């Protein structure tokens, strides 16, 4: 039986988060980057989605003045298509609102129509393009924003 929970990321989660990162991204962050985000970056807020004790997804954002900037969201490949990405994104939006952020933003690969569709359903709008944003293939990023207050 599934027991889905969303909570702050802990150092003890990093091994599973790093495995998920490698599975999800062509240029993954290193485990040490997550350690720094959790221990040194005062702007950073990272969360995991658990099924029992297994990390099945995670999301992170930085709070910069009154704006939340989503840095990354990932869901295990075998768990995609079941609404977990929506759960993580909605939960990050809720945390940003509870923290009195006025708006929330993110960048997404121009080719990632599934993610763009999800973000649009959650109220994000496309406001521009960052040309050649992604290091691996120089793909453009779509900049998306959502007003919170």
């Amino acid at each position: 039986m599934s027991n889905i929970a969303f909570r702050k990321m802990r150092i003890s989660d990093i091994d599973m988060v790093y495995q998920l990162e490698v599975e999800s991204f062509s240029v993954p962050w290193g485990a040490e980057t997550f350690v720094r985000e959790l221990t040194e970056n005062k702007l950073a807020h990272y969360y995991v989605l658990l099924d029992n004790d297994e990390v099945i997804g995670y999301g992170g954002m930085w709070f910069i003045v009154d704006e939340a900037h989503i840095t990354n969201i990932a869901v295990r490949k075998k768990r995609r298509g079941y609404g977990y990405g929506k759960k993580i994104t909605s939960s990050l939006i809720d945390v940003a609102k509870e923290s009195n952020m006025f708006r929330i933003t993110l960048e997404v690969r121009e080719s990632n129509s599934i993610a763009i569709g999800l973000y649009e359903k959650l109220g994000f709008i496309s406001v521009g393009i960052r040309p050649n944003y992604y290091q691996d293939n120089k793909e453009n990023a779509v900049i998306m924003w959502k007003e919170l207050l």
Side-chain angles (χ1 to χ4, degrees):
M1 185 165 87
S2 288
N3 184 17
I4 304 298
F6 182 81
R7 66 155 167 79
K8 279 192 165 262
M9 188 185 292
R10 301 173 185 152
I11 295 290
S12 59
D13 298 321
I14 290 178
D15 285 345
M16 282 190 277
V17 167
Y18 176 67
Q19 290 170 10
L20 201 164
E21 180 80 1
V22 169
E23 174 182 298
S24 300
F25 299 109
S26 55
V27 183
W29 285 11
E32 67 283 350
T33 301
F34 287 101
V35 171
R36 278 196 309 275
E37 288 291 283
L38 293 182
T39 61
E40 297 174 22
N41 185 350
K42 301 295 183 221
L43 306 175
H45 301 265
Y46 283 81
Y47 296 84
V48 291
L49 189 67
L50 301 165
D51 184 353
N52 296 312
D53 291 327
E54 179 192 3
V55 173
I56 61 169
Y58 79 92
M61 60 188 162
W62 296 343
F63 289 171
I64 303 170
V65 187
D66 60 0
E67 298 173 353
H69 184 119
I70 293 177
T71 55
N72 32 15
I73 294 172
V75 175
R76 286 217 178 276
K77 278 188 180 174
K78 67 182 181 185
R79 298 299 193 108
R80 292 178 190 163
Y82 296 100
Y84 296 123
K86 181 178 182 181
K87 169 78 172 147
I88 293 166
T89 308
S90 296
S91 296
L92 292 176
I93 291 167
D94 290 344
V95 169
K97 283 180 182 176
E98 290 163 8
S99 301
N100 298 313
M101 297 292 112
F102 288 1
R103 60 196 63 83
I104 189 165
T105 186
L106 55 82
E107 292 93 8
V108 58
R109 285 183 187 269
E110 202 170 41
S111 64
N112 193 344
S113 56
I114 292 172
I116 291 169
L118 167 65
Y119 301 141
E120 287 173 344
K121 284 179 188 166
L122 292 173
F124 285 84
I125 57 167
S126 299
V127 296
I129 297 289
R130 289 198 201 285
N132 306 314
Y133 183 77
Y134 291 96
Q135 296 172 353
D136 61 335
N137 64 356
K138 302 299 182 204
E139 184 174 354
N140 295 340
V142 177
I143 305 163
M144 301 186 84
W145 284 89
K146 175 181 173 66
E147 297 295 322
L148 299 177
L149 298 178

